[in-house]
Structure formats: C-alpha cells, structure tokens
Amino acid sequence: MIRTATPADVPVIHAMVRELADYEKALHEARATEEQLHTALFGEHPAAFAHIAETADGEAAGFALWFLNFSTWVGVHGIYLEDLYVRPEHRGGGHGKALLTELARICVDRGYGRLEWSVLDWNEPSIKFYESLGARPQDEWTVYRLTDGALTALGSAPDRT
C-alpha cells in the first residue's frame, strides 16, 4: 500500500534517509534532522512531499521523497524524486515500483511533463530496475553542485551588478 506521509512518519522517514545514505556509502553526509524534515514536509510552506510504502501489517517498507521542478522548455511542472528507498528485507516485493507508479500517476493527473531522478553510476540493481520501467538515462547532461565552502564563498561575494 502506498500512502501520503503524515507528520507521524517523520521519524521513520529520517531513519530510512540514513539507511539510504549508508547504502550509498555516504552516511557522513546525511546531516538532516527530524525537525528539518518535519519543516520541509509539513511546515507552513512545504518544500517537499513524501509517500510511504507499507507492508500488509502496516510496517514502513520504503519511501519516496520528492519536490516540484519546472521546465521552461515545456512550460509545466515535473517531479524530481530526491529519494527512493526500500528497506533490504522488502526489496523485490513491488514497493519501489508502486512508489514510482504513484508519482507517475500524480504527474499524469496534474499534467506534469516529467518524473526524473538521479542514480549512482555503480548502483546496477537500481539502474536495471529503472530501465525495466522505461526510464532512460540523460547522458547528455552533467550535474553540477555548489556546497559548503564553495557555496558560502560565492554567496558571500560582493554584488558587482
């Protein structure tokens, strides 16, 4: 079963974010707190949304955390899937596909133009899974990111306009 996350889900979402970071060999980079997730998901101006995949007995098997993006080329919103995670003991049970199906349904129902996400290039099981659903890599684009010191340096530079 897939359902929209509630404030009561924040602790389990936080735990699964950390499990995902550990799986991706980057636990040291997972700094978000439960309070930050609560504000992002359920604050006055939510910045993100989440869905929970549950087992038949109501256990959280996985989650999807996403936000809206916008394409100036097609003129409509899309969904950017920040995190998709299914706990190891529940993989192969259809939870990941059900989460992606729900997000695709939201896109179709709301007229959004795309559903996109990133995957680590070494994560072959996930790549095969995504491609089995019809997803294709966007090889012509390279992702860039400013963080930490570089972000602070650029953001603190004097305005020269």
Side-chain angles (χ1 to χ4, degrees), residues 45-58:
H45 301 286
F49 308 92
H51 285 78
I52 303 292
E54 287 185 334
T55 64
D57 62 359

Side-chain angles (χ1 to χ4, degrees), residues 16 18 39 49 65 74 87 101 118 127 129 142 151 153 155 158:
M16 288 191 287
R18 295 191 53 78
T39 299
F49 308 92
L65 193 143
V74 297
R87 289 180 154 155
T101 299
S118 297
I127 291 168
F129 167 63
T142 300
L151 178 62

Side-chain angles (χ1 to χ4, degrees), residues 73-95:
W73 289 20
V74 297
V76 296
H77 282 292
I79 286 178
Y80 186 83
L81 176 59
E82 179 67 20
D83 287 333
L84 175 69
Y85 179 72
V86 175
R87 289 180 154 155
E89 64 271 23
H90 298 295
R91 291 182 188 153
H95 302 292

Side-chain angles (χ1 to χ4, degrees), residues 41-71:
L41 294 167
F42 304 106
E44 185 176 343
H45 301 286
F49 308 92
H51 285 78
I52 303 292
E54 287 185 334
T55 64
D57 62 359
E59 178 186 356
F63 80 107
L65 193 143
W66 56 277
F67 55 88
L68 294 179
N69 57 18
F70 183 82
S71 170

Side-chain angles (χ1 to χ4, degrees), residues 13-52:
I13 292 170
H14 184 258
M16 288 191 287
V17 165
R18 295 191 53 78
E19 291 169 25
L20 173 60
D22 189 41
Y23 172 77
E24 292 183 346
K25 302 173 178 72
L27 183 57
H28 62 284
E29 295 179 34
R31 300 180 295 214
T33 65
E34 287 185 24
E35 294 79 19
Q36 288 172 315
L37 286 175
H38 186 275
T39 299
L41 294 167
F42 304 106
E44 185 176 343
H45 301 286
F49 308 92
H51 285 78
I52 303 292

Side-chain angles (χ1 to χ4, degrees), residues 101-149:
T101 299
E102 177 64 11
L103 297 185
R105 185 195 60 74
I106 291 169
C107 287
V108 170
D109 289 352
R110 297 180 186 177
Y112 298 165
R114 54 177 72 145
L115 169 58
E116 55 193 357
W117 61 92
S118 297
V119 60
L120 291 166
D121 58 7
W122 57 258
N123 192 345
E124 283 298 320
S126 292
I127 291 168
K128 288 179 182 176
F129 167 63
Y130 299 144
E131 289 181 350
S132 77
L133 300 175
R136 295 295 171 251
Q138 301 299 296
D139 296 334
E140 67 273 14
W141 295 92
T142 300
V143 176
Y144 281 83
R145 179 179 294 161
L146 281 171
T147 62
D148 302 323

